[in-house]
Amino acid sequence: MTRHQRLDKLKDTIRKYSRYVSPALLAASLVAIITIIALFIPPYIGMADNGDYFRMLYSNGLYFNAPDYDSLYLGYFNKQFGIFQYFNENGATLTSSQSLLIRFSIWVNQWFDQHVFDIRVQGAILTLLYIAAVYLMVEALTWKMPAKYGYIVAILSVFVFADTAYTAFFNSFFSESMVWIMLIYLFASGLLMFRKRYNDYAMMGIFFISGLLLTTSKQQNAPVGVIIAVIAVIYIFVRKERSYRVLMASSLACLMLAGVATYVLIPKEFVNINKYHAMTRGVLMESEDPEETLQSFGIDRQYAVLNKSIYYEPYTTIDVDSSLLEDEFYSHYGFVSILTYYIAHPEQAGKMLDLAAKNAFTIRPPAMGNYEKSVGKPFGAQTSFFSGYSELKRALAPKTFGFIVIWMLVILGIYMPHFIAAIKAKHVRSMLRLPLILMVMLMGLSGIFVSIIGAGDADLSKHEFLFTAAFDLVTLTAVADAICRHLWQNKPEALKKA
């Protein structure tokens, strides 16, 4: 058999295979298998509690029932929690869409056990949502792509989406699982509208719901709703029907309001925690003269003693919750004044941005272990099972903010010809891709800026999760479009097929 005949036979095999298993179905199936093995087959993989779980547990009807729970913090994953059987006097410590997920998971769990909540129930629900999200994402990337290229994109997608650095969050009470899945739904639905795949009204519904859940998943994501509402205005003009335009405009207005409400509803307790770190672990930490810096905010220079300190330290020079600190420290600055300070001190801002960039490509927080204590692994041990992508990314990605800027410029540059051609052709649907990519990029950047300005370097690797997620989705999209040559599809006659 000649080489040409072998190639023809391979093409025939791919063509026959693609009739039954599309690239999207292949990717979703493989992600499902790998995730099930990781999360639901011993040794179970999850995330250890870093002390934040209490914010979501008590107000949603759960409590810590393990007698040795204090010894598990940071080091070991715990999968079982108690369910309150009587009146729960605990009010909500924060407003988050994650509460909907937890309450639904408890309801499902009570079909099997009324007293003990197994976090794997939540993990199973998230896995189902994830599989559907992966399917839509890969379908958006490979729609009308030749099968031989589609399967390459599918395998690359599995490499990213099945990575346990992402899926381990499903067996935890961290909001990153909600952030990651909803971001995929948001991006995929936007791309599917660009491709004119599936019903526009259905995609608009997914776009709105995922955007709403993403915005309200954590207080740090308050800017997300505003960014979506502003950038996605172009989506209003995709169709001419009045009903579609009214629904899309209303959805964007709701997302704008959700972003504002998410910010307004941040509990004062968390405001002070973040403000403390924004000053002690941010502004003062990189200042050459902390005392003079404090004076520029109208704060007594004696508080320079708090430089580089952490809110949770057991022994401090002053009670961080005292009225004295409230009157003489917290009340003298806020998000806007710190932002103004960094603008006036670009060199200091640059240092903080580079510091943020060092953590911006880490998916798995280094502080939390992934195994149960009963497994016998060392305290804080993390899984290496299907972690190739996250480890490669962590090791190879340049750790400077300059790289992030270059990455953004390159991505926007390679998509710009198509966008300009779409404008010239007056083909609105074909204009959607660049604004969508810009929107996700800005959402990722907001994760960096809000982290630095709002909380300094405190827990940066976790606070910057939105950026690393946005980076992966945008980069995967660019690679997929390059493989199938969609990047250079900029002629007006080709736009109508996009």
Side-chain angles (χ1 to χ4, degrees):
M1 185 181 293
T2 65
R3 182 174 179 273
H4 183 71
Q5 289 174 323
R6 286 196 299 269
L7 287 174
D8 286 341
K9 187 176 180 180
L10 178 61
K11 289 178 181 178
D12 288 338
T13 302
I14 293 175
R15 196 176 298 113
K16 291 177 182 177
Y17 183 70
S18 63
R19 294 176 186 174
Y20 305 102
V21 181
S22 66
L25 182 58
L26 175 64
S29 300
L30 291 176
V31 168
I33 292 170
I34 295 167
T35 302
I36 289 170
I37 292 172
L39 303 187
F40 308 109
I41 295 178
Y44 307 114
I45 291 172
M47 298 286 287
D49 182 3
N50 69 343
D52 286 347
Y53 279 15
F54 80 94
R55 299 177 181 178
M56 298 306 302
L57 259 66
Y58 287 100
S59 60
N60 287 302
L62 298 176
Y63 64 92
F64 303 107
N65 62 348
D68 63 339
Y69 195 85
D70 287 349
S71 67
L72 305 180
Y73 281 114
L74 297 176
Y76 296 108
F77 158 56
N78 181 68
K79 68 176 183 292
Q80 293 186 327
F81 300 84
I83 302 175
F84 279 115
Q85 300 300 302
Y86 305 103
F87 175 72
N88 181 12
E89 62 183 9
N90 299 283
T93 55
L94 53 83
T95 304
S96 171
S97 58
Q98 189 185 5
S99 293
L100 298 175
L101 169 68
I102 295 174
R103 289 178 181 270
F104 180 70
S105 301
I106 294 172
W107 179 70
V108 174
N109 186 97
Q110 288 179 322
W111 297 352
F112 311 99
D113 194 321
Q114 293 282 333
H115 300 88
V116 178
F117 176 73
D118 193 318
I119 202 170
R120 289 172 298 173
V121 173
Q122 175 190 278
I125 293 170
L126 286 170
T127 299
L128 291 174
L129 287 172
Y130 193 51
I131 293 167
V134 171
Y135 179 90
L136 290 177
M137 185 67 201
V138 178
E139 182 71 5
L141 295 178
T142 60
W143 176 240
K144 292 186 177 180
M145 182 187 291
K148 62 181 179 180
Y149 297 134
Y151 290 119
I152 295 174
V153 172
I155 296 301
L156 288 175
S157 300
V158 172
F159 187 54
V160 176
F161 293 125
D163 197 293
T164 53
Y166 277 127
T167 57
F169 279 108
F170 298 175
N171 277 343
S172 80
F173 290 112
F174 295 122
S175 59
E176 277 71 13
S177 57
M178 181 73 78
V179 171
W180 175 228
I181 294 175
M182 291 306 123
L183 183 63
I184 296 173
Y185 274 114
L186 180 77
F187 194 44
S189 58
L191 278 179
L192 288 165
M193 291 180 75
F194 163 73
R195 304 281 190 209
K196 204 175 181 180
R197 173 68 167 145
Y198 301 127
N199 180 275
D200 282 338
Y201 287 89
M203 293 302 101
M204 177 176 60
I206 294 175
F207 188 88
F208 168 65
I209 293 171
S210 58
L212 185 63
L213 294 174
L214 174 60
T215 301
T216 57
S217 60
K218 57 194 305 183
Q219 279 67 36
Q220 183 186 340
N221 288 354
V224 168
V226 178
I227 292 170
I228 297 173
V230 173
I231 303 295
V233 166
I234 191 173
Y235 278 75
I236 297 173
F237 306 101
V238 169
R239 298 176 70 103
K240 295 181 179 180
E241 297 97 316
R242 179 179 173 82
S243 59
Y244 170 85
R245 292 189 172 184
V246 169
L247 283 172
M248 179 57 82
S250 301
S251 298
L252 296 181
C254 286
L255 289 172
M256 174 76 78
L257 291 173
V260 174
T262 299
Y263 178 78
V264 171
L265 293 174
I266 299 176
K268 187 170 181 59
E269 174 193 352
F270 299 125
V271 170
N272 284 350
I273 293 172
N274 291 333
K275 286 180 73 172
Y276 186 88
H277 289 146
M279 183 61 69
T280 65
R281 302 295 308 176
V283 173
L284 297 181
M285 189 173 68
E286 294 296 338
S287 173
E288 294 182 359
D289 190 340
E291 294 181 352
E292 183 180 334
T293 297
L294 284 173
Q295 286 188 315
S296 70
F297 283 93
I299 301 173
D300 194 307
R301 56 194 296 160
Q302 68 176 326
Y303 288 103
V305 71
L306 299 177
N307 187 19
K308 298 183 181 180
S309 64
I310 298 173
Y311 186 92
Y312 299 105
E313 288 178 0
Y315 305 106
T316 59
T317 54
I318 187 172
D319 182 3
V320 293
D321 294 318
S322 67
S323 58
L324 180 64
L325 212 60
E326 181 69 44
D327 296 336
E328 298 187 7
F329 193 72
Y330 297 131
S331 62
H332 287 265
Y333 64 96
F335 190 90
V336 175
S337 59
I338 291 179
L339 175 60
T340 304
Y341 175 83
Y342 279 128
I343 292 174
H345 299 80
E347 200 174 305
Q348 192 171 334
K351 291 179 181 178
M352 289 301 296
L353 287 172
D354 280 339
L355 180 63
K358 291 179 181 179
N359 297 274
F361 300 96
T362 301
I363 303 172
R364 194 196 314 274
M368 281 84 88
N370 294 135
Y371 293 102
E372 292 181 278
K373 189 174 183 179
S374 59
V375 174
K377 297 279 187 179
F379 185 89
Q382 296 186 329
T383 182
S384 59
F385 175 71
F386 213 90
S387 299
Y389 173 73
S390 56
E391 289 300 318
L392 192 66
K393 178 182 176 183
R394 183 182 60 81
L396 299 182
K399 307 298 191 298
T400 64
F401 190 74
F403 170 75
I404 294 175
V405 173
I406 293 171
W407 168 74
M408 290 185 65
L409 292 176
V410 169
I411 294 293
L412 294 176
I414 60 180
Y415 281 108
M416 188 60 72
H418 181 278
F419 181 70
I420 293 173
I423 293 175
K424 291 179 179 178
K426 298 181 180 179
H427 195 262
V428 177
R429 189 179 294 273
S430 295
M431 299 177 195
L432 300 182
R433 184 171 57 178
L434 182 63
L436 178 67
I437 288 173
L438 176 62
M439 179 179 72
V440 174
M441 283 180 166
L442 291 177
M443 287 160 56
L445 278 184
S446 74
I448 291 179
F449 291 137
V450 170
S451 297
I452 292 173
I453 299 170
D457 75 338
D459 205 9
L460 264 181
S461 61
K462 192 167 175 291
H463 287 168
E464 293 181 304
F465 181 85
L466 183 58
F467 173 80
T468 198
F471 177 87
D472 288 346
L473 289 184
V474 171
T475 303
L476 178 63
T477 301
V479 171
D481 284 341
I483 289 173
C484 67
R485 301 177 184 178
H486 280 169
L487 288 175
W488 301 277
Q489 191 185 62
N490 57 10
K491 295 182 180 179
E493 61 268 22
L495 291 172
K496 296 180 181 179
K497 301 177 184 178

